[in-house]
Amino acid sequence: GPAIIALSRWFPPKERGTYYGFFSASHNLGEFLSFIFVGSVVGWLGWQAGFVGSFIAGAIGVVIIIFFLHDSPESRGLPHVGNPPKESTNKAQKGVLKNPYVWILALASAFMYVSRYAVNSWGVRFLEMEKGYSLELATTVIGINALLGLFGTVLSGWFSDKFFKGKRNMPAFIFGVLNTIALTLFLLGGDSLVLNVISMILFGIAIGVLICFLGGLMAVDIVPRNATGAALGVVGMASYIAAGLQDVISGTLIENFKVVSDGVVTYDFLPVSIFWIGASILSFVLALFVWNVKPAE
């Protein structure tokens, strides 16, 4: 939230997407590096050290913020970016809670997070149990999407600023459809390694773009500059509630549709796959309802 507020103060709307996309890469970069860094620490010093290593990484982040994150251009003696706010921050933030389009985008992001964490939480297990992959191979295949998501987030904002003049609706729709196609290929496309790798490449790129757009930027665009933190808060709250509920619902579906025969447990992933794919479809359909909403000044 504070980082988005700072971005909105330092960059005008026509450039915001480029920098927001670059910033959003932190999701994927942090996720990717955590596997390497924390995994190495745990392997070297034991699982308890993993928490200490994470604490040190977080402390370094705090130091960087203290020394390099400046509140606004004015705080550094630079001119104000854009037009001054037309209303108080308190009133603008309350307006966010009354804005139906922010809540629509929050729901769109929530369903997108269902599909995102379906793969992140259950993907390795799915490849092991449904397609017979080894743990090492399954982890490698799923890890591809986190790495490719990095490129999706970095390029998404620049792409929309450069080719769509700051409009996010069309690329959000395109990559929403791509996300559904990739998820369908992964869940229903058979056990071919090549096909599953391709599906994770497409999924990673699509999710990377959607984390940037549906996960915050589109909501930030349509609210006053002094209410961007509130908009991101609404979207983030809905997204992570959905991510948590996804785990509960997915676990229940997987458990309820298992079959035990002669002591052998077989899992039917079709019902939960329909749930995941349906959430992905609802995500980009909901985003269509804000197609004609104009960005705030």
Side-chain angles (χ1 to χ4, degrees):
I4 301 307
I5 294 171
L7 280 173
S8 66
R9 290 174 178 173
W10 277 91
F11 303 107
K14 290 183 179 180
E15 298 178 4
R16 185 186 295 159
T18 300
Y19 294 100
Y20 189 103
F22 185 80
F23 162 78
S24 294
S26 61
H27 292 81
N28 300 89
L29 185 60
E31 189 173 295
F32 178 70
L33 290 177
S34 68
F35 284 108
I36 299 174
F37 173 68
V38 179
S40 299
V41 171
V42 170
W44 184 32
L45 298 173
W47 66 266
Q48 295 95 333
F51 292 99
V52 178
S54 300
F55 159 75
I56 293 172
I60 293 172
V62 170
V63 172
I64 291 172
I65 289 171
I66 290 173
F67 285 98
F68 295 102
L69 179 61
H70 306 298
D71 187 56
S72 64
E74 300 94 300
S75 68
R76 306 303 295 172
L78 299 171
H80 183 82
V81 174
N83 299 320
K86 297 180 180 179
E87 55 188 6
S88 68
T89 299
N90 186 49
K91 185 176 180 180
Q93 290 176 337
K94 289 180 179 178
V96 168
L97 299 178
K98 298 176 183 178
N99 189 328
Y101 298 113
V102 172
W103 288 102
I104 290 172
L105 286 169
L107 283 174
S109 179
F111 284 114
M112 179 268 291
Y113 264 62
V114 168
S115 64
R116 178 191 179 194
Y117 281 93
V119 172
N120 286 353
S121 297
W122 300 95
V124 171
R125 199 77 177 123
F126 172 76
L127 288 176
E128 285 184 292
M129 295 161 55
E130 182 73 6
K131 303 191 179 188
Y133 285 28
S134 67
L135 176 60
E136 293 78 11
L137 181 58
T139 303
T140 301
V141 172
I142 298 302
I144 290 172
N145 97 82
L147 182 60
L148 268 294
L150 180 64
F151 295 99
T153 51
V154 169
L155 296 176
S156 56
W158 171 83
F159 184 77
S160 62
D161 283 345
K162 185 75 173 177
F163 297 102
F164 292 91
K165 298 180 179 179
K167 295 181 179 179
R168 329 291 180 194
N169 297 328
M170 180 58 76
F173 174 75
I174 292 171
F175 285 96
V177 173
L178 180 62
N179 178 52
T180 301
I181 292 172
L183 193 59
T184 303
L185 282 175
F186 176 69
L187 295 171
L188 306 177
D191 57 3
S192 165
L193 178 60
V194 173
L195 184 63
N196 282 283
V197 168
I198 291 173
S199 70
M200 283 298 94
I201 291 173
L202 297 177
F203 180 81
I205 293 172
I207 284 292
V209 173
L210 294 174
I211 287 174
C212 179
F213 289 167
L214 297 182
L217 182 56
M218 290 177 70
V220 167
D221 278 343
I222 63 174
V223 301
R225 188 174 302 187
N226 55 342
T228 53
L232 191 70
V234 170
V235 173
M237 177 184 66
S239 299
Y240 283 104
I241 288 174
L245 290 175
Q246 173 277 134
D247 268 333
V248 175
I249 296 171
S250 298
T252 301
L253 287 171
I254 293 171
E255 180 68 19
N256 287 346
F257 284 91
K258 71 179 182 182
V259 176
V260 181
S261 178
D262 296 328
V264 178
V265 180
T266 304
Y267 291 91
D268 182 2
F269 279 92
L270 182 59
V272 78
S273 296
I274 293 172
F275 166 55
W276 293 336
I277 294 170
S280 179
I281 293 171
L282 281 173
S283 176
F284 73 78
V285 169
L286 280 168
L288 293 175
F289 286 89
V290 298
W291 190 271
N292 294 319
V293 180
K294 295 181 179 181
E297 292 295 330

